[in-house]
Amino acid sequence: MSDTGARSTATGADPEVACPISPVVDIVFSRWTTPILWSLHTYGRQRFVELERRIARITPKVLTQRLRQLERDGLVVRTYHPEVPPRVEYEISELGRSLAPLFAQLSEWATENLDRVERARREYDADPA
């Protein structure tokens, strides 16, 4: 075991060394992160209720948790306006906007390949072996 106490995998490599994008995948592609960032990028600054309406099936609790994590990660900026009643708005940060080319490439890949993935799944599921 190394000085950091990290366990090695069966191949002996630290997963983050073996796949250096693992931390990025953990940050960006968790269940609700992508729809939140997509919505903020597409529609701009929004209040909590606006985000909640645009992202179907997300609960207020989960939206709150994800927004806090995205703010912590520097991908979302939260602005509190001390008015009566108080107003809070969320917007994608410059760091969050820097993910746009990645999302564009993934969208292009999805358009070009998801039908092939579905076909492969059907073929796999139909094979009795």
Side-chain angles (χ1 to χ4, degrees):
M1 217 185 262
S2 69
D3 291 335
T4 62
R7 291 190 176 152
S8 62
T9 63
T11 61
D14 179 336
E16 289 185 14
V17 173
C19 182
I21 67 165
S22 289
V24 175
V25 170
D26 290 343
I27 292 167
V28 177
F29 297 108
S30 66
R31 171 80 169 109
W32 294 106
T33 297
T34 309
I36 292 168
L37 291 176
W38 189 277
S39 180
L40 290 172
H41 181 65
T42 303
Y43 301 104
R45 182 180 301 146
Q46 297 171 62
R47 296 178 75 170
F48 185 90
V49 255
E50 294 171 301
L51 276 168
E52 191 177 23
R53 283 185 201 129
R54 286 198 169 104
I55 304 169
R57 299 185 314 266
I58 192 168
T59 65
K61 178 183 176 184
V62 171
L63 181 56
T64 298
Q65 290 170 340
R66 292 310 312 147
L67 285 168
R68 284 183 182 154
Q69 186 62 49
L70 289 167
E71 184 181 6
R72 181 175 182 255
D73 291 339
L75 301 175
V76 166
V77 175
R78 177 183 182 271
T79 305
Y80 174 80
H81 300 277
E83 305 168 346
V84 178
R87 181 170 48 104
V88 177
E89 296 176 317
Y90 298 90
E91 62 186 309
I92 194 167
S93 70
E94 193 60 41
L95 181 61
R97 269 191 288 286
S98 73
L99 292 166
L102 172 65
F103 288 151
Q105 282 187 303
L106 287 170
S107 179
E108 184 179 316
W109 186 91
T111 301
E112 293 174 5
N113 295 293
L114 281 183
D115 58 335
R116 293 170 60 194
V117 170
E118 285 302 318
R119 188 171 40 247
R121 287 176 177 171
R122 283 192 305 274
E123 289 171 8
Y124 181 90
D125 292 345
D127 187 2

